[in-house]
Amino acid sequence: MHVVCSHCRTVNRVPDERAAQDPVCGHCGRTLLDGHPVELTDDNFDAVISRSDLPIVVDFWAAWCGPCRMMAPQFEQAARALKGRALLAKVDTDASPLVAGRFGIRSIPTLVKLQGGRELDRVSGAMQAAQILSWVK
């Protein structure tokens, strides 16, 4: 499978059986799939989502949003549970207004499920880790 490094935007080939074993980027050496959400911005969003083979779940959030802050630990927990099977990412809508606008984000938190750069599904509102896992599968 192909996984794009969110730090240097290098496309890495990762054997399926090694996806859950903390593979690192062949260019910059940073961990690709460490079980934590990656930060996406207006600058790196397209490179990461369009060339990664894994399903990607994006949490559109903002620092001032109470429900977003409540859901953050749940999203972290879901990222650990889905390690190697999906890439969970966060987009700060205040810091990345172009991506948020392109996806028509009107309320936060909003989760968007992507595969091959295309949106498959979305849901708005804070969720528990079990709900996120159920929704992703």
Short mmCIF file of all heavy atoms in Angstrom, two decimals, residues 43-111:
data_model
loop_
_atom_site.label_atom_id
_atom_site.label_comp_id
_atom_site.label_asym_id
_atom_site.label_seq_id
_atom_site.Cartn_x
_atom_site.Cartn_y
_atom_site.Cartn_z
N ASP A 43 -1.77 23.33 3.18
CA ASP A 43 -0.57 23.02 2.40
C ASP A 43 -0.38 21.54 2.10
O ASP A 43 0.04 21.18 1.01
CB ASP A 43 0.67 23.54 3.12
CG ASP A 43 0.71 25.05 3.17
OD1 ASP A 43 0.15 25.71 2.28
OD2 ASP A 43 1.29 25.59 4.14
N ASN A 44 -0.66 20.66 3.05
CA ASN A 44 -0.35 19.24 2.83
C ASN A 44 -1.58 18.36 2.62
O ASN A 44 -1.44 17.17 2.35
CB ASN A 44 0.50 18.69 3.98
CG ASN A 44 -0.23 18.59 5.31
OD1 ASN A 44 -1.38 18.98 5.46
ND2 ASN A 44 0.46 18.07 6.31
N PHE A 45 -2.77 18.90 2.74
CA PHE A 45 -3.99 18.10 2.69
C PHE A 45 -4.10 17.28 1.40
O PHE A 45 -4.24 16.06 1.44
CB PHE A 45 -5.22 19.00 2.85
CG PHE A 45 -6.51 18.23 2.97
CD1 PHE A 45 -6.94 17.77 4.20
CD2 PHE A 45 -7.28 17.96 1.85
CE1 PHE A 45 -8.13 17.05 4.31
CE2 PHE A 45 -8.46 17.24 1.95
CZ PHE A 45 -8.88 16.79 3.19
N ASP A 46 -4.04 17.94 0.26
CA ASP A 46 -4.24 17.25 -1.02
C ASP A 46 -3.18 16.18 -1.27
O ASP A 46 -3.50 15.09 -1.76
CB ASP A 46 -4.28 18.24 -2.18
CG ASP A 46 -5.56 19.06 -2.18
OD1 ASP A 46 -6.61 18.51 -1.80
OD2 ASP A 46 -5.50 20.24 -2.55
N ALA A 47 -1.94 16.48 -0.94
CA ALA A 47 -0.86 15.50 -1.16
C ALA A 47 -1.10 14.24 -0.35
O ALA A 47 -0.89 13.12 -0.84
CB ALA A 47 0.49 16.12 -0.79
N VAL A 48 -1.56 14.39 0.88
CA VAL A 48 -1.75 13.22 1.75
C VAL A 48 -2.99 12.43 1.36
O VAL A 48 -2.94 11.21 1.24
CB VAL A 48 -1.82 13.65 3.23
CG1 VAL A 48 -2.20 12.48 4.12
CG2 VAL A 48 -0.49 14.24 3.68
N ILE A 49 -4.11 13.09 1.14
CA ILE A 49 -5.34 12.33 0.89
C ILE A 49 -5.42 11.75 -0.51
O ILE A 49 -6.02 10.71 -0.71
CB ILE A 49 -6.61 13.14 1.20
CG1 ILE A 49 -6.77 14.30 0.22
CG2 ILE A 49 -6.65 13.61 2.61
CD1 ILE A 49 -8.20 14.58 -0.10
N SER A 50 -4.81 12.39 -1.49
CA SER A 50 -4.98 11.92 -2.86
C SER A 50 -4.09 10.73 -3.21
O SER A 50 -4.41 9.98 -4.13
CB SER A 50 -4.73 13.06 -3.85
OG SER A 50 -3.39 13.47 -3.78
N ARG A 51 -2.99 10.54 -2.49
CA ARG A 51 -2.04 9.50 -2.87
C ARG A 51 -1.90 8.40 -1.84
O ARG A 51 -1.07 7.51 -2.00
CB ARG A 51 -0.69 10.13 -3.18
CG ARG A 51 -0.82 11.12 -4.33
CD ARG A 51 0.43 11.81 -4.77
NE ARG A 51 1.57 11.74 -3.89
CZ ARG A 51 2.49 12.68 -3.80
NH1 ARG A 51 2.39 13.77 -4.50
NH2 ARG A 51 3.52 12.54 -3.00
N SER A 52 -2.68 8.43 -0.78
CA SER A 52 -2.63 7.37 0.24
C SER A 52 -3.68 6.32 -0.08
O SER A 52 -4.81 6.65 -0.43
CB SER A 52 -2.89 7.95 1.63
OG SER A 52 -1.82 8.74 2.05
N ASP A 53 -3.30 5.06 0.07
CA ASP A 53 -4.23 3.97 -0.20
C ASP A 53 -5.15 3.66 0.98
O ASP A 53 -6.23 3.10 0.79
CB ASP A 53 -3.47 2.69 -0.56
CG ASP A 53 -2.77 2.79 -1.91
OD1 ASP A 53 -3.22 3.59 -2.76
OD2 ASP A 53 -1.76 2.09 -2.10
N LEU A 54 -4.74 4.02 2.18
CA LEU A 54 -5.56 3.77 3.36
C LEU A 54 -6.79 4.66 3.36
O LEU A 54 -6.75 5.79 2.87
CB LEU A 54 -4.77 4.06 4.63
CG LEU A 54 -3.72 3.06 5.06
CD1 LEU A 54 -2.93 3.63 6.24
CD2 LEU A 54 -4.36 1.75 5.44
N PRO A 55 -7.89 4.19 3.95
CA PRO A 55 -9.01 5.09 4.20
C PRO A 55 -8.55 6.19 5.15
O PRO A 55 -7.74 5.93 6.05
CB PRO A 55 -10.08 4.22 4.84
CG PRO A 55 -9.57 2.83 4.83
CD PRO A 55 -8.14 2.84 4.43
N ILE A 56 -9.03 7.39 4.96
CA ILE A 56 -8.64 8.52 5.80
C ILE A 56 -9.89 9.10 6.43
O ILE A 56 -10.89 9.35 5.76
CB ILE A 56 -7.90 9.59 4.98
CG1 ILE A 56 -6.64 8.98 4.36
CG2 ILE A 56 -7.56 10.80 5.86
CD1 ILE A 56 -5.92 9.90 3.41
N VAL A 57 -9.84 9.31 7.74
CA VAL A 57 -10.94 9.94 8.48
C VAL A 57 -10.42 11.28 8.99
O VAL A 57 -9.45 11.33 9.74
CB VAL A 57 -11.42 9.07 9.65
CG1 VAL A 57 -12.52 9.78 10.43
CG2 VAL A 57 -11.89 7.72 9.14
N VAL A 58 -11.06 12.36 8.54
CA VAL A 58 -10.62 13.70 8.90
C VAL A 58 -11.59 14.30 9.90
O VAL A 58 -12.80 14.32 9.67
CB VAL A 58 -10.54 14.60 7.65
CG1 VAL A 58 -10.06 16.00 8.04
CG2 VAL A 58 -9.63 14.00 6.60
N ASP A 59 -11.03 14.78 11.01
CA ASP A 59 -11.79 15.49 12.03
C ASP A 59 -11.59 16.98 11.79
O ASP A 59 -10.50 17.51 11.99
CB ASP A 59 -11.28 15.10 13.42
CG ASP A 59 -11.91 15.92 14.55
OD1 ASP A 59 -12.96 16.54 14.32
OD2 ASP A 59 -11.33 15.92 15.65
N PHE A 60 -12.64 17.67 11.32
CA PHE A 60 -12.60 19.12 11.17
C PHE A 60 -13.00 19.71 12.52
O PHE A 60 -14.09 19.44 13.02
CB PHE A 60 -13.56 19.57 10.06
CG PHE A 60 -13.07 19.23 8.69
CD1 PHE A 60 -13.43 18.05 8.08
CD2 PHE A 60 -12.23 20.10 8.01
CE1 PHE A 60 -12.98 17.73 6.81
CE2 PHE A 60 -11.77 19.80 6.73
CZ PHE A 60 -12.14 18.61 6.13
N TRP A 61 -12.13 20.52 13.11
CA TRP A 61 -12.29 21.00 14.47
C TRP A 61 -11.75 22.42 14.60
O TRP A 61 -11.15 22.95 13.67
CB TRP A 61 -11.57 20.07 15.44
CG TRP A 61 -10.07 20.20 15.34
CD1 TRP A 61 -9.27 19.72 14.34
CD2 TRP A 61 -9.22 20.90 16.24
NE1 TRP A 61 -7.97 20.06 14.57
CE2 TRP A 61 -7.91 20.79 15.73
CE3 TRP A 61 -9.43 21.59 17.41
CZ2 TRP A 61 -6.82 21.37 16.37
CZ3 TRP A 61 -8.34 22.16 18.05
CH2 TRP A 61 -7.06 22.04 17.53
N ALA A 62 -11.91 23.02 15.77
CA ALA A 62 -11.31 24.32 16.10
C ALA A 62 -11.02 24.34 17.60
O ALA A 62 -11.73 23.72 18.39
CB ALA A 62 -12.24 25.47 15.73
N ALA A 63 -10.00 25.08 17.98
CA ALA A 63 -9.56 25.12 19.38
C ALA A 63 -10.62 25.71 20.31
O ALA A 63 -10.70 25.34 21.48
CB ALA A 63 -8.26 25.91 19.49
N TRP A 64 -11.44 26.61 19.82
CA TRP A 64 -12.45 27.27 20.66
C TRP A 64 -13.71 26.43 20.85
O TRP A 64 -14.58 26.77 21.63
CB TRP A 64 -12.83 28.62 20.06
CG TRP A 64 -13.21 28.55 18.61
CD1 TRP A 64 -12.42 28.81 17.54
CD2 TRP A 64 -14.49 28.17 18.07
NE1 TRP A 64 -13.10 28.60 16.36
CE2 TRP A 64 -14.39 28.21 16.67
CE3 TRP A 64 -15.71 27.78 18.63
CZ2 TRP A 64 -15.45 27.90 15.82
CZ3 TRP A 64 -16.76 27.47 17.78
CH2 TRP A 64 -16.62 27.54 16.40
N CYS A 65 -13.80 25.31 20.15
CA CYS A 65 -15.02 24.48 20.13
C CYS A 65 -15.01 23.48 21.29
O CYS A 65 -14.18 22.57 21.32
CB CYS A 65 -15.10 23.77 18.79
SG CYS A 65 -16.34 22.48 18.68
N GLY A 66 -15.93 23.64 22.23
CA GLY A 66 -16.03 22.74 23.38
C GLY A 66 -16.25 21.29 22.99
O GLY A 66 -15.54 20.40 23.47
N PRO A 67 -17.25 20.98 22.13
CA PRO A 67 -17.45 19.59 21.72
C PRO A 67 -16.22 19.00 21.01
O PRO A 67 -15.94 17.81 21.15
CB PRO A 67 -18.66 19.66 20.79
CG PRO A 67 -19.41 20.86 21.27
CD PRO A 67 -18.35 21.84 21.69
N CYS A 68 -15.49 19.84 20.28
CA CYS A 68 -14.28 19.36 19.61
C CYS A 68 -13.23 18.94 20.63
O CYS A 68 -12.59 17.90 20.48
CB CYS A 68 -13.68 20.45 18.72
SG CYS A 68 -14.74 20.98 17.35
N ARG A 69 -13.06 19.75 21.66
CA ARG A 69 -12.09 19.43 22.71
C ARG A 69 -12.53 18.19 23.48
O ARG A 69 -11.70 17.38 23.88
CB ARG A 69 -11.90 20.62 23.64
CG ARG A 69 -11.15 21.77 22.97
CD ARG A 69 -10.67 22.81 23.94
NE ARG A 69 -11.63 23.18 24.97
CZ ARG A 69 -12.49 24.18 24.89
NH1 ARG A 69 -12.54 24.93 23.82
NH2 ARG A 69 -13.31 24.44 25.89
N MET A 70 -13.85 18.02 23.69
CA MET A 70 -14.35 16.83 24.37
C MET A 70 -14.11 15.57 23.54
O MET A 70 -13.83 14.50 24.08
CB MET A 70 -15.85 16.95 24.64
CG MET A 70 -16.20 17.76 25.86
SD MET A 70 -17.97 17.85 26.23
CE MET A 70 -18.76 16.74 25.12
N MET A 71 -14.22 15.69 22.23
CA MET A 71 -14.08 14.53 21.36
C MET A 71 -12.61 14.18 21.08
O MET A 71 -12.31 13.04 20.71
CB MET A 71 -14.80 14.75 20.03
CG MET A 71 -14.88 13.48 19.19
SD MET A 71 -15.81 13.65 17.68
CE MET A 71 -14.59 14.36 16.61
N ALA A 72 -11.69 15.10 21.28
CA ALA A 72 -10.27 14.87 20.93
C ALA A 72 -9.70 13.59 21.54
O ALA A 72 -9.07 12.80 20.82
CB ALA A 72 -9.43 16.08 21.30
N PRO A 73 -9.89 13.31 22.84
CA PRO A 73 -9.35 12.06 23.39
C PRO A 73 -10.02 10.82 22.79
O PRO A 73 -9.38 9.77 22.63
CB PRO A 73 -9.63 12.14 24.89
CG PRO A 73 -10.01 13.54 25.17
CD PRO A 73 -10.46 14.15 23.88
N GLN A 74 -11.27 10.93 22.43
CA GLN A 74 -11.98 9.81 21.80
C GLN A 74 -11.43 9.54 20.40
O GLN A 74 -11.28 8.39 19.99
CB GLN A 74 -13.49 10.10 21.74
CG GLN A 74 -14.13 10.35 23.09
CD GLN A 74 -14.01 9.14 24.00
OE1 GLN A 74 -14.27 8.02 23.59
NE2 GLN A 74 -13.61 9.38 25.24
N PHE A 75 -11.12 10.62 19.68
CA PHE A 75 -10.54 10.50 18.35
C PHE A 75 -9.14 9.87 18.44
O PHE A 75 -8.79 9.02 17.63
CB PHE A 75 -10.50 11.88 17.68
CG PHE A 75 -10.30 11.82 16.19
CD1 PHE A 75 -11.30 11.36 15.36
CD2 PHE A 75 -9.11 12.27 15.63
CE1 PHE A 75 -11.12 11.32 13.98
CE2 PHE A 75 -8.92 12.24 14.26
CZ PHE A 75 -9.92 11.77 13.44
N GLU A 76 -8.37 10.27 19.45
CA GLU A 76 -7.05 9.67 19.70
C GLU A 76 -7.18 8.17 19.95
O GLU A 76 -6.41 7.37 19.43
CB GLU A 76 -6.38 10.31 20.92
CG GLU A 76 -5.67 11.59 20.67
CD GLU A 76 -4.24 11.40 20.20
OE1 GLU A 76 -3.68 10.29 20.32
OE2 GLU A 76 -3.69 12.38 19.70
N GLN A 77 -8.15 7.80 20.78
CA GLN A 77 -8.37 6.39 21.10
C GLN A 77 -8.75 5.61 19.85
O GLN A 77 -8.26 4.49 19.62
CB GLN A 77 -9.47 6.27 22.16
CG GLN A 77 -9.68 4.89 22.68
CD GLN A 77 -10.74 4.85 23.78
OE1 GLN A 77 -11.13 5.87 24.33
NE2 GLN A 77 -11.23 3.67 24.07
N ALA A 78 -9.60 6.18 19.01
CA ALA A 78 -9.98 5.53 17.75
C ALA A 78 -8.77 5.39 16.83
O ALA A 78 -8.62 4.36 16.16
CB ALA A 78 -11.10 6.31 17.07
N ALA A 79 -7.90 6.39 16.81
CA ALA A 79 -6.69 6.32 15.98
C ALA A 79 -5.80 5.16 16.40
O ALA A 79 -5.25 4.44 15.56
CB ALA A 79 -5.93 7.64 16.05
N ARG A 80 -5.67 4.96 17.71
CA ARG A 80 -4.87 3.82 18.20
C ARG A 80 -5.50 2.50 17.79
O ARG A 80 -4.81 1.57 17.39
CB ARG A 80 -4.72 3.89 19.72
CG ARG A 80 -3.74 4.95 20.19
CD ARG A 80 -3.41 4.83 21.67
NE ARG A 80 -4.57 4.96 22.55
CZ ARG A 80 -5.07 6.12 22.98
NH1 ARG A 80 -4.51 7.25 22.61
NH2 ARG A 80 -6.11 6.15 23.78
N ALA A 81 -6.82 2.41 17.89
CA ALA A 81 -7.52 1.16 17.56
C ALA A 81 -7.46 0.85 16.06
O ALA A 81 -7.47 -0.32 15.67
CB ALA A 81 -8.97 1.24 18.03
N LEU A 82 -7.39 1.88 15.23
CA LEU A 82 -7.39 1.69 13.77
C LEU A 82 -5.99 1.74 13.17
O LEU A 82 -5.84 1.76 11.95
CB LEU A 82 -8.28 2.75 13.12
CG LEU A 82 -9.77 2.62 13.40
CD1 LEU A 82 -10.52 3.86 12.96
CD2 LEU A 82 -10.33 1.38 12.71
N LYS A 83 -4.98 1.74 14.01
CA LYS A 83 -3.59 1.83 13.56
C LYS A 83 -3.30 0.79 12.48
O LYS A 83 -3.57 -0.39 12.65
CB LYS A 83 -2.66 1.61 14.75
CG LYS A 83 -1.20 1.65 14.42
CD LYS A 83 -0.39 1.42 15.68
CE LYS A 83 1.08 1.34 15.37
NZ LYS A 83 1.86 1.13 16.59
N GLY A 84 -2.80 1.27 11.35
CA GLY A 84 -2.45 0.39 10.24
C GLY A 84 -3.60 0.05 9.32
O GLY A 84 -3.40 -0.49 8.24
N ARG A 85 -4.84 0.36 9.74
CA ARG A 85 -6.02 0.05 8.91
C ARG A 85 -6.67 1.29 8.35
O ARG A 85 -7.41 1.24 7.37
CB ARG A 85 -7.04 -0.75 9.71
CG ARG A 85 -6.51 -2.12 10.10
CD ARG A 85 -7.52 -2.93 10.83
NE ARG A 85 -7.67 -2.36 12.18
CZ ARG A 85 -8.79 -2.41 12.88
NH1 ARG A 85 -9.86 -2.99 12.40
NH2 ARG A 85 -8.84 -1.88 14.08
N ALA A 86 -6.44 2.45 9.00
CA ALA A 86 -6.98 3.73 8.54
C ALA A 86 -6.08 4.82 9.08
O ALA A 86 -5.42 4.65 10.11
CB ALA A 86 -8.42 3.94 9.02
N LEU A 87 -6.04 5.93 8.39
CA LEU A 87 -5.28 7.09 8.84
C LEU A 87 -6.27 8.11 9.37
O LEU A 87 -7.18 8.53 8.65
CB LEU A 87 -4.49 7.68 7.68
CG LEU A 87 -3.66 8.92 7.99
CD1 LEU A 87 -2.53 8.57 8.96
CD2 LEU A 87 -3.10 9.51 6.73
N LEU A 88 -6.14 8.48 10.63
CA LEU A 88 -7.00 9.50 11.21
C LEU A 88 -6.23 10.81 11.22
O LEU A 88 -5.05 10.84 11.57
CB LEU A 88 -7.46 9.12 12.62
CG LEU A 88 -8.73 8.24 12.62
CD1 LEU A 88 -8.53 6.90 12.00
CD2 LEU A 88 -9.31 8.13 14.00
N ALA A 89 -6.91 11.87 10.81
CA ALA A 89 -6.26 13.17 10.65
C ALA A 89 -7.15 14.26 11.22
O ALA A 89 -8.36 14.10 11.32
CB ALA A 89 -5.99 13.43 9.17
N LYS A 90 -6.51 15.38 11.57
CA LYS A 90 -7.23 16.52 12.12
C LYS A 90 -6.94 17.74 11.25
O LYS A 90 -5.80 17.95 10.86
CB LYS A 90 -6.81 16.79 13.56
CG LYS A 90 -7.17 15.65 14.50
CD LYS A 90 -6.78 15.89 15.92
CE LYS A 90 -7.67 16.81 16.68
NZ LYS A 90 -9.02 16.37 16.94
N VAL A 91 -7.98 18.53 10.98
CA VAL A 91 -7.83 19.79 10.27
C VAL A 91 -8.45 20.89 11.12
O VAL A 91 -9.64 20.86 11.42
CB VAL A 91 -8.52 19.76 8.88
CG1 VAL A 91 -8.51 21.14 8.24
CG2 VAL A 91 -7.85 18.74 7.96
N ASP A 92 -7.62 21.83 11.55
CA ASP A 92 -8.09 23.00 12.29
C ASP A 92 -8.74 23.95 11.28
O ASP A 92 -8.06 24.50 10.42
CB ASP A 92 -6.91 23.66 13.00
CG ASP A 92 -7.30 24.86 13.85
OD1 ASP A 92 -8.38 25.44 13.62
OD2 ASP A 92 -6.51 25.23 14.73
N THR A 93 -10.04 24.12 11.40
CA THR A 93 -10.78 24.92 10.41
C THR A 93 -10.38 26.39 10.43
O THR A 93 -10.51 27.08 9.41
CB THR A 93 -12.30 24.80 10.61
OG1 THR A 93 -12.63 25.21 11.94
CG2 THR A 93 -12.76 23.37 10.37
N ASP A 94 -9.90 26.89 11.56
CA ASP A 94 -9.44 28.28 11.63
C ASP A 94 -8.09 28.45 10.94
O ASP A 94 -7.85 29.45 10.26
CB ASP A 94 -9.33 28.75 13.09
CG ASP A 94 -10.69 28.91 13.74
OD1 ASP A 94 -11.69 29.09 13.02
OD2 ASP A 94 -10.75 28.85 14.98
N ALA A 95 -7.21 27.48 11.10
CA ALA A 95 -5.88 27.55 10.51
C ALA A 95 -5.86 27.11 9.04
O ALA A 95 -4.94 27.46 8.31
CB ALA A 95 -4.91 26.69 11.31
N SER A 96 -6.86 26.33 8.62
CA SER A 96 -6.92 25.82 7.24
C SER A 96 -8.29 26.09 6.63
O SER A 96 -9.06 25.17 6.33
CB SER A 96 -6.62 24.32 7.24
OG SER A 96 -5.35 24.06 7.77
N PRO A 97 -8.61 27.37 6.40
CA PRO A 97 -9.94 27.71 5.89
C PRO A 97 -10.21 27.25 4.47
O PRO A 97 -11.37 27.04 4.10
CB PRO A 97 -9.99 29.24 6.00
CG PRO A 97 -8.56 29.67 5.94
CD PRO A 97 -7.79 28.56 6.61
N LEU A 98 -9.18 27.07 3.66
CA LEU A 98 -9.40 26.64 2.27
C LEU A 98 -9.95 25.22 2.21
O LEU A 98 -10.91 24.95 1.48
CB LEU A 98 -8.10 26.74 1.47
CG LEU A 98 -7.52 28.14 1.32
CD1 LEU A 98 -6.20 28.10 0.58
CD2 LEU A 98 -8.52 29.06 0.61
N VAL A 99 -9.35 24.31 2.97
CA VAL A 99 -9.83 22.92 3.00
C VAL A 99 -11.23 22.87 3.61
O VAL A 99 -12.12 22.21 3.07
CB VAL A 99 -8.86 22.00 3.78
CG1 VAL A 99 -9.46 20.62 3.98
CG2 VAL A 99 -7.53 21.90 3.05
N ALA A 100 -11.42 23.58 4.72
CA ALA A 100 -12.74 23.60 5.36
C ALA A 100 -13.80 24.14 4.43
O ALA A 100 -14.91 23.60 4.34
CB ALA A 100 -12.69 24.42 6.65
N GLY A 101 -13.48 25.18 3.69
CA GLY A 101 -14.43 25.75 2.73
C GLY A 101 -14.71 24.82 1.57
O GLY A 101 -15.85 24.69 1.12
N ARG A 102 -13.68 24.16 1.08
CA ARG A 102 -13.86 23.22 -0.03
C ARG A 102 -14.79 22.07 0.34
O ARG A 102 -15.54 21.58 -0.49
CB ARG A 102 -12.48 22.68 -0.44
CG ARG A 102 -12.51 21.99 -1.78
CD ARG A 102 -11.13 21.70 -2.25
NE ARG A 102 -10.74 20.41 -1.73
CZ ARG A 102 -9.49 20.04 -1.53
NH1 ARG A 102 -8.51 20.85 -1.78
NH2 ARG A 102 -9.22 18.85 -1.08
N PHE A 103 -14.74 21.65 1.61
CA PHE A 103 -15.61 20.57 2.06
C PHE A 103 -16.93 21.08 2.62
O PHE A 103 -17.76 20.30 3.08
CB PHE A 103 -14.89 19.69 3.10
CG PHE A 103 -13.96 18.70 2.48
CD1 PHE A 103 -12.67 19.05 2.17
CD2 PHE A 103 -14.39 17.42 2.18
CE1 PHE A 103 -11.81 18.14 1.57
CE2 PHE A 103 -13.55 16.50 1.58
CZ PHE A 103 -12.25 16.87 1.27
N GLY A 104 -17.14 22.39 2.58
CA GLY A 104 -18.41 22.96 3.04
C GLY A 104 -18.68 22.70 4.50
O GLY A 104 -19.83 22.43 4.88
N ILE A 105 -17.65 22.80 5.33
CA ILE A 105 -17.82 22.54 6.76
C ILE A 105 -18.60 23.69 7.38
O ILE A 105 -18.17 24.83 7.37
CB ILE A 105 -16.46 22.37 7.46
CG1 ILE A 105 -15.67 21.22 6.83
CG2 ILE A 105 -16.63 22.15 8.96
CD1 ILE A 105 -16.35 19.87 6.86
N ARG A 106 -19.77 23.39 7.92
CA ARG A 106 -20.65 24.40 8.52
C ARG A 106 -20.76 24.25 10.03
O ARG A 106 -21.11 25.18 10.73
CB ARG A 106 -22.05 24.32 7.91
CG ARG A 106 -22.09 24.53 6.42
CD ARG A 106 -21.93 26.00 6.08
NE ARG A 106 -21.99 26.21 4.65
CZ ARG A 106 -20.95 26.47 3.89
NH1 ARG A 106 -19.75 26.55 4.41
NH2 ARG A 106 -21.09 26.66 2.59
N SER A 107 -20.52 23.04 10.52
CA SER A 107 -20.55 22.82 11.97
C SER A 107 -19.38 21.91 12.33
O SER A 107 -18.92 21.11 11.51
CB SER A 107 -21.88 22.18 12.39
OG SER A 107 -22.02 20.89 11.84
N ILE A 108 -18.90 22.09 13.53
CA ILE A 108 -17.79 21.28 14.00
C ILE A 108 -18.13 20.71 15.37
O ILE A 108 -18.92 21.33 16.09
CB ILE A 108 -16.46 22.07 14.04
CG1 ILE A 108 -16.62 23.38 14.80
CG2 ILE A 108 -15.93 22.31 12.65
CD1 ILE A 108 -15.36 24.17 14.98
N PRO A 109 -17.61 19.56 15.71
CA PRO A 109 -16.75 18.72 14.89
C PRO A 109 -17.53 18.02 13.78
O PRO A 109 -18.68 17.65 13.96
CB PRO A 109 -16.19 17.71 15.89
CG PRO A 109 -17.24 17.61 16.95
CD PRO A 109 -17.85 18.98 17.04
N THR A 110 -16.88 17.87 12.65
CA THR A 110 -17.41 17.09 11.53
C THR A 110 -16.34 16.09 11.12
O THR A 110 -15.19 16.46 10.94
CB THR A 110 -17.78 17.99 10.34
OG1 THR A 110 -18.89 18.82 10.69
CG2 THR A 110 -18.15 17.17 9.12
N LEU A 111 -16.72 14.83 11.01
CA LEU A 111 -15.82 13.78 10.53
C LEU A 111 -16.16 13.47 9.08
O LEU A 111 -17.35 13.31 8.73
CB LEU A 111 -15.97 12.50 11.36
CG LEU A 111 -15.62 12.59 12.84
CD1 LEU A 111 -15.81 11.23 13.50
CD2 LEU A 111 -14.22 13.09 13.04
#
